[in-house]
Amino acid sequence: MPRPTKQSPERGGARIRLLEAARDIIRAKGFAATTVDDLCKTAAVTKGAFFHNFGSKDALGVAAAEFWAETTSGFFAAASYHDPADALERILAYVAFRKAIIAGDLAAFTCLVGTMAQEVYASSPDIRDACGRSIFGHTATLEADIEAARRDHGIAGDWTAESLARHTQAVIQGAFILAKAGNDPALARESLDHLDRYIRHLFHVAEDDAK
Amino acid sequence: MPRPTKQSPERGGARIRLLEAARDIIRAKGFAATTVDDLCKTAAVTKGAFFHNFGSKDALGVAAAEFWAETTSGFFAAASYHDPADALERILAYVAFRKAIIAGDLAAFTCLVGTMAQEVYASSPDIRDACGRSIFGHTATLEADIEAARRDHGIAGDWTAESLARHTQAVIQGAFILAKAGNDPALARESLDHLDRYIRHLFHVAEDDAK
DNA sequence: TGACATATACCGACTGTATGGTATGTATAG
DNA sequence: CTATACATACCATACAGTCGGTATATGTCA
């Protein structure tokens, strides 16, 4: 990704390249260990460009969380797990989709805002809240399907769609931690199998043999 | 916690005080944001003491993970959730216990090694592996009970005791992340309710009304 | 149309301080 | 007399952030 020259000025690219660099580097090293110089080098911009676009390193953290929220919501909105006509099938397809994208390099599939929230929740409330909005904004996209599936299948139970949606996220985030601690993505996929089984249990449907 | 004087030399205390400081500060600020000076100040020792006991900041990270493994394994071994004669009841008591200790300040109940593993998994393999040993060492303590409960209740199912033990940890770790992101411990307890429900489903027992 | 002003987006050298780490000294135990 | 467990002063570097400058786009008024 070449620097914009003075002749062909696609200027304004610095901000996006810095956010992309932040997304990749922070997932690998964490927020505190990521330096402004790291980001500038990877994005091929100077410090002047950094502090022109972001008032501080913390401000970049907030912007990175918002950038993550925007790009991932687009990514999930476009995914095919929304296709099934049955709401429960959409939920199970979502879990299967989350499992399917867990592969390859850890920093490539783990969650930026989960990582950042874990690290800065006490020292940087602004970043923490931006991460919170990203996470809980995503869980909210599941609620309607859970609610619909519950109606369709006549499920009672002393749980809410909201809490199940959040629990889904908790399992995913926790799965990432085990994968990192054990340095093995399979540890994450394993937990998603349990989540799949739990949801099928809740809705009284049989387990999927082809796993 | 006073400094050991030359008159009443409880010397050797520096190492433990540094490990306790690491446990508390790293849980609040993360590993990278925790400085050696922070630790020395809180432990009331000098830098000389720090680098006498630990060869580097990374070495302290490894030692902190091992210290965590030791102290928590003692803590859990002594807990009363082991009391019930029935293995399944012990498992459910474990989940209830984990839920019960989620209260008050976030840094007081969250997991040091989960936090560290998340942050340094790529940049410091030594710390990562020490965290992994702590986490998976703990999950291993659940396996015997899960295996026994499975026999006692005649449960088949295409899952292993090992994977369920790990999933339990994943839920707990993920619950901590949601609690941090939402700045509310109730978000963590909520996921443990789902975990409780999942385990009861797996073993075909009724839900607990008194929750 | 052209001259001029203003704003945007970026560059790159510089700075004060914080940080991990070192070197040397000292009191005490055995 | 030696090893341990510190204390203290010091160092090189890395870090977030600053500041003065430049190239380009855009607006505006004669």
Side-chain angles (χ1 to χ4, degrees):
Chain A
M1 198 181 288
R3 286 267 309 286
T5 70
K6 283 99 188 246
Q7 270 64 25
S8 72
E10 25 154 282
R11 281 160 84 91
R15 180 183 173 87
I16 290 166
R17 287 206 310 282
L18 280 166
L19 290 171
E20 288 169 345
R23 177 194 61 199
D24 297 337
I25 302 180
I26 295 173
R27 282 199 287 180
K29 311 209 302 181
F31 180 76
T34 298
T35 70
V36 173
D37 285 331
D38 279 342
L39 296 166
C40 292
K41 203 174 217 175
T42 302
V45 301
T46 60
K47 280 187 123 166
F50 184 96
F51 286 100
H52 171 73
N53 282 283
F54 310 101
S56 66
K57 193 190 168 190
D58 263 41
L60 167 105
V62 172
E66 288 165 352
F67 181 68
W68 178 262
E70 287 161 28
T71 52
T72 57
S73 78
F75 174 70
F76 284 114
S80 63
Y81 68 82
H82 298 286
D83 292 352
D86 182 62
L88 176 56
E89 277 185 44
R90 287 196 296 274
I91 299 167
L92 295 172
Y94 168 78
V95 175
F97 179 67
R98 294 307 303 254
K99 184 185 170 188
I101 59 180
I102 296 174
D105 190 29
L106 274 159
F109 64 78
T110 52
C111 176
L112 172 72
V113 291
T115 302
M116 278 206 292
Q118 172 96 307
E119 195 180 342
V120 306
Y121 76 101
S123 41
S124 183
D126 287 353
I127 299 178
R128 178 198 68 202
D129 291 342
C131 292
R133 285 193 295 275
S134 176
I135 291 176
F136 297 111
H138 179 64
T139 65
T141 66
L142 298 175
E143 283 180 36
D145 278 345
I146 295 174
E147 200 58 59
R150 212 169 156 165
R151 256 199 327 275
D152 296 350
H153 291 254
I155 303 296
D158 60 341
W159 50 273
T160 65
E162 201 184 357
S163 81
L164 181 57
R166 284 194 292 247
H167 176 62
T168 298
Q169 265 306 299
V171 171
I172 292 168
Q173 296 289 345
F176 290 156
I177 291 193
L178 287 234
K180 286 175 181 174
N183 199 27
D184 181 4
L187 292 165
R189 291 192 291 268
E190 177 182 75
S191 261
L192 285 188
D193 286 340
H194 283 286
L195 178 61
D196 175 87
R197 196 178 290 106
Y198 175 50
I199 294 173
R200 290 176 190 273
H201 267 303
L202 283 179
F203 287 93
H204 312 315
V205 300
E207 288 185 30
D208 187 9
D209 287 334
K211 193 169 290 165
Chain B
M1 200 180 285
R3 285 265 311 285
T5 71
K6 284 100 188 248
Q7 271 63 23
S8 73
E10 26 155 281
R11 280 161 85 89
R15 181 184 170 86
I16 290 164
R17 288 207 307 283
L18 280 166
L19 290 171
E20 289 169 344
R23 176 194 63 199
D24 298 337
I25 302 180
I26 294 173
R27 283 199 287 179
K29 310 208 305 182
F31 180 76
T34 298
T35 70
V36 174
D37 285 330
D38 278 342
L39 296 166
C40 292
K41 204 174 216 175
T42 301
V45 302
T46 61
K47 277 185 124 165
F50 184 97
F51 285 101
H52 171 71
N53 282 282
F54 309 100
S56 65
K57 193 190 169 191
D58 263 42
L60 167 105
V62 173
E66 287 165 354
F67 180 69
W68 178 262
E70 288 160 27
T71 53
T72 57
S73 77
F75 173 71
F76 284 113
S80 63
Y81 69 82
H82 299 286
D83 292 351
D86 181 63
L88 176 57
E89 277 184 46
R90 288 198 295 276
I91 298 166
L92 295 172
Y94 169 78
V95 175
F97 179 67
R98 294 306 305 253
K99 184 185 169 187
I101 58 181
I102 296 173
D105 190 31
L106 275 158
F109 63 78
T110 51
C111 176
L112 173 71
V113 292
T115 302
M116 276 206 294
Q118 171 95 307
E119 194 181 342
V120 306
Y121 75 100
S123 42
S124 182
D126 288 353
I127 299 179
R128 178 199 67 200
D129 291 342
C131 292
R133 284 193 296 274
S134 176
I135 291 176
F136 297 112
H138 178 64
T139 65
T141 67
L142 298 176
E143 283 179 37
D145 278 346
I146 295 174
E147 199 59 58
R150 212 169 156 164
R151 257 198 325 275
D152 296 350
H153 291 255
I155 303 296
D158 60 341
W159 50 273
T160 66
E162 201 185 358
S163 81
L164 180 58
R166 284 195 292 248
H167 176 62
T168 298
Q169 265 306 301
V171 171
I172 292 168
Q173 296 290 344
F176 290 156
I177 290 194
L178 287 233
K180 287 174 180 173
N183 198 30
D184 181 3
L187 291 165
R189 291 192 292 268
E190 178 182 74
S191 261
L192 286 187
D193 286 340
H194 282 286
L195 178 61
D196 175 86
R197 194 177 291 107
Y198 175 50
I199 294 173
R200 291 175 189 273
H201 267 302
L202 283 179
F203 287 93
H204 310 317
V205 301
E207 288 186 30
D208 186 8
D209 287 336
K211 193 166 290 165

